[in-house]
């Protein structure tokens, strides 16, 4: 009653199956998986290169939008000298950020001051001076 058991079949090892045929499930699976991974890697690398090329422009447009938001919220009674000082310091900040010299802690400090100032959609002279002082503390190009 005991019969000899056939040798085990391991998928993809190239051995012949019980009928003398190769295992159909192992044919080309690994090859297409590697090709797919290679293509995805190339797409990811191309995407990173394009992003890094566009990053300064993207950063400049985002920072420009933030400046416009602050300028539009400045109260009418804020002196022109304070407005000009803010614009000068903000332009220097944008240049430093594009050059990669702006430190994350400094950027966070400026961002915090801007968010606090814009909570009521109005920037008074004291708030604008606080933002300008935070911008002055940033390293310059």
């Amino acid at each position: 009653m005991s019969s000899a058991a056939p040798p085990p079949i391991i998928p993809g090892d190239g051995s012949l199956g019980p009928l003398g045929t190769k295992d159909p499930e192992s044919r080309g699976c690994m090859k297409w998986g590697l090709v797919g991974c290679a293509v995805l890697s190339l797409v990811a690398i191309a995407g990173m290169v394009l992003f890094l090329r566009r990053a300064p422009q993207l950063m400049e447009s985002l920072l420009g939008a933030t400046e416009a938001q602050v300028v539009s919220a400045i109260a009418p009674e804020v002196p022109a000298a304070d407005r000009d000082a803010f614009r000068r310091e903000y332009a220097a900040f944008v240049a430093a950020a594009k050059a990669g010299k702006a430190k994350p802690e400094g950027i966070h400090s400026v961002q915090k001051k801007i968010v606090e100032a814009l909570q009521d959609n109005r920037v008074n002279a004291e708030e604008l001076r606080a933002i300008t002082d935070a911008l002055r503390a940033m390293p310059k190009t």
Side-chain angles (χ1 to χ4, degrees), residues 17-102:
L19 298 176
T21 60
K22 282 188 123 181
D23 184 10
E25 295 173 20
S26 67
R27 185 171 287 194
C29 181
M30 185 63 121
K31 175 183 164 187
W32 286 111
L34 291 175
V35 169
C37 285
V39 169
L40 285 175
S41 296
L42 289 174
V43 169
I45 291 169
M48 287 188 293
V49 168
L50 289 174
F51 176 75
L52 290 176
R53 283 188 175 179
R54 299 279 184 195
Q57 294 168 347
L58 179 63
M59 184 178 7
E60 186 173 7
S61 63
L62 289 173
L63 292 174
T66 303
E67 179 186 20
Q69 194 175 12
V70 170
V71 168
S72 68
I74 295 175
E77 65 270 7
V78 174
D82 288 347
R83 294 171 190 251
D84 293 339
F86 167 75
R87 286 191 178 112
R88 275 192 312 276
E89 293 300 325
Y90 202 87
F93 165 66
V94 170
K98 281 175 57 177
K101 294 187 178 187

Side-chain angles (χ1 to χ4, degrees), residues 67-139:
E67 179 186 20
Q69 194 175 12
V70 170
V71 168
S72 68
I74 295 175
E77 65 270 7
V78 174
D82 288 347
R83 294 171 190 251
D84 293 339
F86 167 75
R87 286 191 178 112
R88 275 192 312 276
E89 293 300 325
Y90 202 87
F93 165 66
V94 170
K98 281 175 57 177
K101 294 187 178 187
K103 302 277 189 239
E105 305 85 34
I107 293 172
H108 181 68
S109 171
V110 170
Q111 181 183 22
K112 184 178 175 186
K113 298 271 187 208
I114 290 173
V115 168
E116 288 172 358
L118 291 174
Q119 281 182 344
D120 59 355
N121 293 325
R122 181 179 162 98
V123 178
N124 62 32
E126 182 181 322
E127 293 169 328
L128 189 64
R129 283 188 214 110
I131 295 169
T132 305
D133 290 342
L135 290 167
R136 280 189 188 112
M138 297 290 292

